[in-house]
Amino acid sequence: MAGTAVTPGSALDELRGRIRGEVIAEGDPAYPDACRIWNGMIERRPALVVRCTGAADVCSTVRFAREAGVPVSVRSGGHNVAGTSLSDGGVVVDLTGMRNVFVDRDRRMVRAAGGARLGDVDHETQAFALAASFGVVSKTGIAGLTLNGGIGFLTRRLGLSCDNLVGADLVTADGTLVHADLDRNADLLWALRGGGGSFGVATSLEYRLHDVGPEVFMAITFYPLEAGKEGLLAWRDIMRDAPNELMSVALYWSAPPEEPFPPEWHGKPVFILAGAWSGPLAEAEEAVRPLRELAEPVADLSGPMPFEMAQQLFDAEYPDGRRYYWKSVYLSDVDDVLPEICDRATAGRPSPLTSIDVWALGGAMRDEPEGGSAFAQRQAPFLFGIEANWEGADGDEANLAWARELYAEAKPLSPTGGTYLNFPGFAEEGEELLRASYGDKYERLKEVKAKYDRENVFRGSFSIPVG
Ligand SMILES: Cc1cc2nc3c(=O)[nH]c(=O)nc-3n(C[C@H](O)[C@H](O)[C@H](O)COP(=O)(O)OP(=O)(O)OC[C@H]3O[C@@H](n4cnc5c(N)ncnc54)[C@H](O)[C@@H]3O)c2cc1C
């Protein structure tokens, strides 16, 4: 059997003999599909993609890559916008076949394999009206999401995904399996809570569960774009004083071309207030009322629904293979200039699929979990997100330019220059962005990196450098 550019055939044969999963190299029929991820803009050519079936396969694969001297990247949900799960010439530890989820109802914990999507976990936990705190699109991988924070409909009430991470099994750079929790390798648990994927391969992750649902109340009110001019500031005031059970995001997007939207609104730019109330249902209507009464709506789709359904509401807007480029900036406030910026940028979007999102943060996200975390941006009350989404490579130039221009305009509004490390489109800003985003946690992250991965086996965009 032939070798690859990075390793002789005998070593590859040995790997194939040792593991239960599939080893896919360039030239294999499965290779093109194995290199395809959610973002259609990402085209990379790894030396190998290894579809692991368990921790044993992961250990063998990491040892193999380390001996061959090539970088390892990890693919879980494959939804990282910058496509960090693939590297040119590297070995991909592909966990997409490892999605088992086990709920421990008595301990109110859930343990999920490293390739699980958040929809996998929601499905199992909601059978018992329990939930962990994850993001808002069900196909996103829990691992990638958690390792850089994890913001979703429960964040203000329950904290970030990483705050609820109580333990993980991790294959480190020397190919050994270790456990990280508050008692064992506590420095590693600290780093996994927001410090990214630089320390090893998480083969399973354990989270604290909370009472959620089975129904929550979703506010989804579409207003004319003009309503955003005063509406964004009114929303800011509502969310400043809102109870933690209310999470909300203000969106500049397009009205869908379907019922119940009046035909004259189809595809037109709109200002949307979306919110999730996860407190007692009897209090929901009153809690979300201010979000629904800003102005005369174009349409109001608000109502109670199963939490599992709420978690899938936006899935269809993010299909596989479309082209995506995102950026974000933490804000210390929503001031008067922001509605103007959003209004102008929305009108100038090259693609109607593109949105600008302002997330209200705060609440339980401000609290460090027991044992601390590497996540550094707890105090920012708002996150400004730029989501350029479009079809076709001929739109690349215009859409990238639009997003970069808006990012350049928004960045001075950030007190730290930090970004939410789950959203950046490409690693254009290098280590400076990492420093700004991790703040005073950065030096300790480098120490943990040096302890667990001195040879920098897990290197790629946004990874913590050694030393
Ligand atoms: C449609 C969509 C919606 C999103 N919504 C939200 C949201 O609501 N809230 C939010 O916070 N974020 C959201 N995100 C951002 C998302 O959290 C990141 O893109 C995240 O990286 C996706 O994780 P993944 O496992 O799918 O990614 P992958 O591309 O599989 O992995 C990304 C990186 O994470 C690390 N990694 C992944 N798995 C492991 C593992 N098992 N062990 C070690 N390292 C690992 C690696 O460094 C890897 O390169 C969204 C993204 C998309 C595409």
Side-chain angles (χ1 to χ4, degrees), residues 38 74-81 84-85 95 114 135-137 140-141 143-145 147 150-151 197 200-202 318 326 359 420 422-423:
W38 167 78
V74 189
R75 174 180 181 165
S76 289
H79 270 55
N80 186 276
V81 191
T84 53
S85 61
L95 304 180
V136 304
V137 172
T140 318
L145 177 102
L147 295 175
I151 297 171
V201 184
Y318 299 99
W326 298 358
W359 296 73
Y420 179 43
N422 264 334
F423 285 167

Side-chain angles (χ1 to χ4, degrees), residues 409-421:
E409 197 172 3
K411 216 171 167 203
L413 304 177
S414 159
T416 62
T419 198
Y420 179 43
L421 286 162

